[in-house]
Amino acid sequence: DSGVTQTPKHLITATGQRVTLRCSPRSGDLSVYWYQQSLDQGLQFLIQYYNGEERAKGNILERFSAQQFPDLHSELNLSSLELGDSALYFCASSGGSASLYEQYFGPGTRLTVT
Amino acid sequence: KNEVEQSPQNLTAQEGEFITINCSYSVGISALHWLQQHPGGGIVSLFMLSSGKKKHGRLIATINIQEKHSSLHITASHPRDSAVYICAVRANEKLTFGTGTRLTIIP
């Protein structure tokens, strides 16, 4: 158990809908990262937050947004969902913002768009 | 060409064999991660390296910064080592992932 929690575990929704994925980092970790793992693209970095501020951005679509709250939990919002958004979404946390810190992964949320 | 290349893509070995998985990258990095993903989907971070060598139990990871190459070794492999092993490099605060090596250890 990494100490990172993600909810929900599974989510099935229809095209055009909007969903919110939630992540709680390990106690004391200030950074949260979001990743998408799809069958055709593999693992991709989406976005990083550090202590409430956006720190780095990867291949995140404009239909997706994220935020980190004062209690350090983070939410990833996916809107106008398309079939291609079906994937595993992982969040990870680390103690700091820099590359010196190891990342701990949550169990993932499996999103299926029908 | 992908920034991170792993080889082999698939590897099947007998229990007890010495396993090597390779990772080559093309950009300057601040760190390299080795991750393990089990069939259930969960990801575990095995190592984070910026130089030299690290060992944890039967697992050893090495990195050669000049040659932009890293290897993950498993000694005395066991069926429970069966998983996908993923190399990821950190540059500009972003992780870029390899496509993974699917390892199957046969009893």
Side-chain angles (χ1 to χ4, degrees), chain A residues 2 33 35 37 43-45 48 55-58 88 90 94 97-107 110, chain B residues 30-31 33-35 37 39-48 50 54 86 90 92-98:
Chain A
S2 67
Y33 309 79
Y35 299 98
Q37 186 178 37
L43 265 166
Q44 289 193 92
F45 167 69
Q48 178 200 357
R55 179 80 182 191
K57 217 165 184 177
L88 261 173
F90 289 99
S94 72
S97 66
S99 59
L100 299 175
Y101 293 89
E102 183 121 20
Q103 293 187 25
Y104 297 87
F105 285 77
R110 186 175 295 276
Chain B
S30 53
H33 299 249
W34 280 104
L35 310 172
Q37 186 170 29
I43 294 176
V44 174
S45 179
L46 298 175
F47 295 103
M48 185 181 71
S50 52
K54 284 191 177 179
I86 302 167
R90 177 178 279 280
N92 300 320
E93 301 306 319
K94 299 174 189 177
L95 276 185
T96 303
F97 298 86

Side-chain angles (χ1 to χ4, degrees), chain B residues 45-87:
Chain B
S45 179
L46 298 175
F47 295 103
M48 185 181 71
L49 296 163
S50 52
S51 65
K53 178 178 174 176
K54 284 191 177 179
K55 185 175 190 289
H56 185 253
R58 295 179 294 105
L59 272 57
I60 302 164
T62 64
I63 188 168
N64 185 317
I65 296 292
Q66 287 74 30
E67 294 187 6
K68 292 186 167 61
H69 181 268
S70 175
S71 292
L72 176 68
H73 305 286
I74 305 174
T75 61
S77 59
H78 190 276
R80 65 174 175 266
D81 297 325
S82 298
V84 175
Y85 292 83
I86 302 167
C87 166

Side-chain angles (χ1 to χ4, degrees), chain A residues 8-82:
Chain A
K9 206 168 179 176
H10 301 276
L11 197 47
I12 301 174
T13 189
T15 53
Q17 294 299 303
R18 182 180 189 274
V19 296
T20 298
L21 312 183
R22 182 187 169 104
C23 169
S24 293
R26 289 188 326 155
S27 178
D29 281 358
L30 298 177
S31 273
V32 169
Y33 309 79
W34 285 98
Y35 299 98
Q36 180 194 56
Q37 186 178 37
S38 60
L39 280 175
D40 55 345
Q41 300 271 11
L43 265 166
Q44 289 193 92
F45 167 69
L46 295 178
I47 198 163
Q48 178 200 357
Y49 277 83
Y50 174 74
N51 204 20
E53 301 287 329
E54 183 184 302
R55 179 80 182 191
K57 217 165 184 177
N59 301 321
I60 188 165
L61 299 171
E62 282 192 17
R63 300 183 285 108
F64 296 1
S65 65
Q67 55 184 324
Q68 186 178 28
F69 294 87
D71 67 352
L72 300 176
H73 91 272
S74 178
E75 292 180 357
L76 179 67
N77 300 296
L78 315 177
S79 61
S80 303
L81 285 167
E82 302 175 0

